[in-house]
Amino acid sequence: PPRHTFSYWLEAMPPKDTKKAPAAAAPKAAAPAKAAAPAKKAAPAGGVTKKAQAAKKAVLQGTHSKSQAKIRTSIHFHKPKTLRLPRKPKYPRQSSAARSKLDNSTIVQNPLTTESAMKKIEDNNTLVFIVDKRSNKPQIKTAVQRLYSVKVAKVNTLVRPDGQKKAFVRLAADCDALDVANKIGII
């Protein structure tokens, strides 16, 4: 038959049984020769052959041949949780940390000098400011405390119809709003 056909290769290959048969017969023939040795040496040799037989069996059959499939109790298959390593960037994506754009002088823009604001200064010990719309009450409180060196009791805010934020800053009992207003230059 031509070389590229399957039947050519079948004829060319030697049968598998003829190769293994002499190798299997050799250990059996060697076994009686070892039995003639003294009894003291025979005990370790028997252990070695058992180990060799076990190793041979493990190689031929495999050690995981009788593993049972895991019993699945759910009808859903979830992807297993694998190792997720944290990122280790080679260089920082930002050259420097972002600077806070809301500092004290940006938060408190200007004091309000309307009649109702003046009445609040006199009656309620409260200063009224126009503040940045993005600022919150704790930011307004710390900004007023640092700018005017006063103690603030509480802050109320509202957003006016024109879009500006108004803050009512109530001062502590030991601070007088009239003095602070004079110092600022409202009155």
Side-chain angles (χ1 to χ4, degrees):
R3 289 182 68 154
H4 62 274
T5 59
F6 181 69
S7 57
Y8 171 81
W9 292 108
L10 277 176
E11 291 172 15
M13 286 180 65
K16 290 182 180 179
D17 295 344
T18 55
K19 261 190 171 180
K20 286 186 181 178
K28 289 178 184 175
K34 286 184 181 178
K40 288 183 181 179
K41 290 186 179 179
V48 171
T49 53
K50 281 184 180 177
K51 274 189 180 180
Q53 292 295 330
K56 179 184 171 186
K57 185 179 176 185
V59 168
L60 291 173
Q61 291 183 350
T63 53
H64 299 289
S65 59
K66 293 184 180 177
S67 62
Q68 288 183 329
K70 181 184 171 190
I71 297 170
R72 301 195 65 84
T73 56
S74 170
I75 59 169
H76 302 289
F77 180 80
H78 296 287
K79 262 196 322 187
K81 294 277 187 285
T82 56
L83 179 66
R84 290 187 180 180
L85 295 170
R87 290 188 171 191
K88 290 186 276 186
K90 301 293 182 200
Y91 64 94
R93 293 300 186 262
Q94 287 183 322
S95 61
S96 60
R99 182 181 59 87
S100 176
K101 291 173 184 167
L102 286 176
D103 57 340
N104 295 336
S105 53
T106 311
I107 290 170
V108 178
Q109 291 173 353
N110 60 286
L112 212 60
T113 56
T114 58
E115 282 184 35
S116 61
M118 293 302 162
K119 194 162 194 278
K120 286 213 177 293
I121 290 171
E122 294 163 7
D123 297 346
N124 300 341
N125 201 31
T126 302
L127 295 169
V128 185
F129 295 99
I130 298 294
V131 295
D132 193 294
K133 196 175 176 183
R134 295 166 296 172
S135 59
N136 55 30
K137 291 180 183 183
Q139 288 172 334
I140 295 166
K141 181 178 180 178
T142 54
V144 170
Q145 284 175 342
R146 287 180 182 163
L147 285 172
Y148 305 116
S149 305
V150 290
K151 283 185 181 176
V152 175
K154 75 181 222 171
V155 177
N156 288 339
T157 59
L158 62 86
V159 178
R160 303 195 312 185
D162 64 350
Q164 290 183 314
K165 188 180 264 191
K166 188 197 289 189
F168 300 96
V169 181
R170 177 116 184 227
L171 301 182
D174 57 336
C175 296
D176 189 28
L178 269 171
D179 296 340
V180 178
N182 281 328
K183 191 169 87 174
I184 296 169
I186 300 172
I187 301 172

